[in-house]
C-alpha cells in the first residue's frame, strides 16, 4: 500500500478522560486488525479547540467528540466523512455511535433496588443530552417500582461549580434532609466524587446511610473518592472499534446510516460507596455489615452468630426473607464483588486475588467465579478493560 492510498484520519477525541482513552484503544485495535491509517492524534481535553488546519485539510475521515457548535460547523464545512462519538445538543448531521445512556439509569436503579433500598435521589446537571437520558431513565425505573426520587441539580452551565464551598454546603443540606437509607445516582463520576465529599461534610455514613453510584468508571476519580466510588462501566473499547469500522465504510463510499448505533454499558463496578444491603431490622443490619467488612477474611456462618443475638435458624430465615440469600451465599456474593473490583482496578494475578478475597486455591476461586457469574475471572478482566 502506498502512502497516497492510506486513509488519512483525524481523531478529535480527548485523552484526559478514561472514556476517551478507551475509545482510542478500540480504534487502535480496529486499525491493527483491518487496515493501515495515517492518524492525527494529540493530547486533548474535552474542551480543546479544533485544529486550525481542519478547514484546509484534504483528509479522508474524522472521528470526533464534538464539544461546541463552532467545532461542529468547522467539521461540517470540511465535507470530510465524520462519525460523532459524543451525544450532544449541537446541530450537525454526523452519524452517532456511542453508549446507550438510557440503559445506565436502569442499571443503577436495579442495583439499588436489589440491595433493599427504598429511598432514592439523583444528582444531575442538565447541560447535555446524555446527562438527561441517564437521569430520566433512572427516575422512570424507580417510579415504575413504586417509589419517588429526590433531585439535586447543579443548576449551572458547566460541570464546575462557580462557588465550590457554597455548592457543597447546599448538597450536604440536601443529603441531610433525605430519608435514610437512600441510594443516589450521580450522573457522572465527577459529580459522584463531589457527592461523597458532601456526605462526609454532613457526617453521613456511606454506604450504610447513603449509597452512591456514579457513571463512566473513571478509575482515578473512583479510587480517589472516599470511600471508593461504584460506577457504571462503559464499553469504550467496543464503541471505538465499531466507530472506526463505520468510518472505514463511509470512506469507501457507503451511505450514512439513518439511525444511531447504541452500545450497552458493561455493567456496574461495585465499590464501597454502594456495597450495602439495606434492611430495617437492626440485628440483621449488624449481621450484614459484619459480612461486608469480613467476607474476604475467611469467615463462616458461626462467626456471624458470635456478633448478633440470633440463632442459626433465625439468621437463615430472616436473611432469606429480607434479601433472598442465605448467610453463606451473602458471604460469597461479597467475596465475588471484591474479586471483580480487584480484577478491574489492579494488575494482581489470579492467585493473589484469590488469596485476598478468602479462597485458599486459585483454581477453586476460578471455578466458583465462572459458576456464579458465567465467565472466567480472566475473561471478565479482559472485558472490563
Amino acid at each position: 500500500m502506498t502512502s497516497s492510498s492510506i486513509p488519512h484520519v483525524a481523531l478529535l477525541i480527548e485523552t484526559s478522560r478514561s472514556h476517551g482513552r478507551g475509545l482510542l484503544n478500540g480504534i487502535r485495535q480496529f486499525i491493527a486488525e483491518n487496515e493501515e491509517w495515517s492518524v492525527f492524534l494529540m493530547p486533548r481535553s474535552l474542551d480543546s479547540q479544533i485544529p486550525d488546519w481542519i478547514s484546509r485539510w484534504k483528509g479522508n475521515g474524522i472521528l470526533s467528540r464534538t464539544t461546541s457548535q463552532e467545532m461542529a460547523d468547522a467539521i461540517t464545512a470540511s465535507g470530510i466523512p465524520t462519525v460523532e462519538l459524543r451525544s450532544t445538543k449541537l446541530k450537525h448531521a454526523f452519524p452517532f455511535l456511542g453508549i446507550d445512556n438510557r440503559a445506565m439509569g436502569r442499571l443503577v436503579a436495579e442495583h439499588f433496588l436489589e440491595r433493599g433500598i427504598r429511598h432514592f435521589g439523583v444528582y444531575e446537571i442538565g447541560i447535555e443530552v446524555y446527562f438527561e437520558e441517564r437521569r430520566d431513565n433512572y427516575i422512570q425505573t424507580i417510579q415504575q417500582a413504586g417509589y419517588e426520587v429526590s433531585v439535586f441539580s447543579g443548576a449551572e452551565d458547566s460541570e464546575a461549580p462557580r462557588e465550590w464551598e457554597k455548592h457543597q454546603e447546599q448538597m450536604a443540606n440536601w443529603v441531610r434532609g433525605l430519608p435514610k437509607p437512600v441510594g443516589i445516582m450521580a450522573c457522572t463520576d465527577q459529580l459522584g466524587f463531589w457527592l461523597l465529599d458532601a456526605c462526609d461534610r454532613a457526617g453521613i455514613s456511606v454506604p450504610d446511610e447513603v449509597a452512591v453510584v456514579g457513571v463512566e468508571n473513571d478509575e482515578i476519580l473512583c479510587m480517589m473518592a472516599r470511600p471508593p466510588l461504584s460506577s457504571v462501566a462503559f464499553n469504550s473499547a467496543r464503541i471505538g472499534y465499531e466507530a472506526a469500522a463505520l468510518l472505514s465504510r463511509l470512506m469507501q463510499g457507503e451511505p450514512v446510516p439513518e439511525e444511531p448505533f447504541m452500545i450497552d454499558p458493561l455493567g456496574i463496578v461495585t465499590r464501597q460507596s454502594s456495597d450495602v444491603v439495606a434492611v430495617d431490622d437492626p440485628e440483621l443490619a449488624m449481621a450484614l455489615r459484619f459480612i461486608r467488612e469480613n467476607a474476604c477474611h475467611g469467615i463462616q456462618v458461626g462467626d456471624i452468630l458470635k456478633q448478633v443475638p440470633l440463632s442459626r435458624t433465625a439468621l437463615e430465615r430472616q436473611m432469606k426473607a429480607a434479601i433472598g440469600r442465605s448467610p453463606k451465599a451473602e458471604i460469597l456474593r461479597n467475596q465475588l464483588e471484591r474479586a471483580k473490583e480487584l480484577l478491574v482496578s489492579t494488575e494482581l494475578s489470579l492467585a493473589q486475588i484469590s488469596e485476598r478475597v478468602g479462597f485458599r486455591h486459585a483454581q477453586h476461586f476460578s471455578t466458583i467465579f465462572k459458576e456464579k457469574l458465567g465467565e472466567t475471572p480472566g475473561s471478565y478482566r479482559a472485558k472490563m478493560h
Side-chain angles (χ1 to χ4, degrees), residues 291-303:
I291 292 173
R292 185 176 74 242
E293 294 173 353
N294 296 280
C296 296
H297 299 158
I299 63 170
Q300 304 294 327
V301 177
D303 297 306

Side-chain angles (χ1 to χ4, degrees), residues 211-376:
V212 179
V213 175
V215 174
E216 192 171 329
N217 197 38
D218 188 307
E219 289 190 18
I220 293 177
L221 279 173
C222 291
M223 298 309 295
M224 279 288 293
R226 286 294 174 266
L229 176 65
S230 298
S231 186
V232 180
F234 296 176
N235 201 341
S236 303
R238 186 187 168 207
I239 294 171
Y241 189 100
E242 296 293 347
L246 173 57
L247 182 62
S248 177
R249 296 193 295 272
L250 295 179
M251 291 189 296
Q252 294 172 37
E254 291 192 18
V256 174
E258 296 182 0
E259 298 296 328
F261 187 175
M262 312 294 280
I263 294 176
D264 286 339
L266 288 170
I268 294 177
V269 178
T270 303
R271 301 185 178 90
Q272 190 178 341
S273 72
S274 70
D275 191 12
V276 66
V277 177
V279 294
D280 295 326
D281 184 280
E283 293 172 347
L284 189 54
M286 186 187 305
L288 290 168
R289 187 177 303 111
F290 178 78
I291 292 173
R292 185 176 74 242
E293 294 173 353
N294 296 280
C296 296
H297 299 158
I299 63 170
Q300 304 294 327
V301 177
D303 297 306
I304 306 171
L305 296 172
K306 296 175 183 177
Q307 305 297 318
V308 295
L310 293 172
S311 68
R312 180 181 290 266
T313 301
L315 178 64
E316 293 270 356
R317 183 178 62 252
Q318 292 182 29
M319 194 168 288
K320 285 185 177 179
I323 66 173
R325 292 182 293 275
S326 67
K328 185 177 180 180
E330 182 62 9
I331 292 171
L332 179 59
R333 186 190 71 81
N334 277 266
Q335 288 176 292
L336 294 178
E337 288 296 332
R338 176 60 176 159
K340 287 160 61 178
E341 179 183 336
L342 292 173
L343 285 166
V344 173
S345 63
T346 76
E347 297 300 324
L348 293 173
S349 68
L350 294 186
Q352 290 171 313
I353 292 174
S354 172
E355 182 179 357
R356 290 199 181 194
V357 301
F359 286 81
R360 292 183 179 180
H361 304 291
Q363 183 58 50
H364 179 57
F365 161 67
S366 295
T367 299
I368 294 296
F369 192 99
K370 183 175 182 180
E371 178 184 316
K372 297 298 182 182
L373 301 178
E375 58 186 328
T376 65

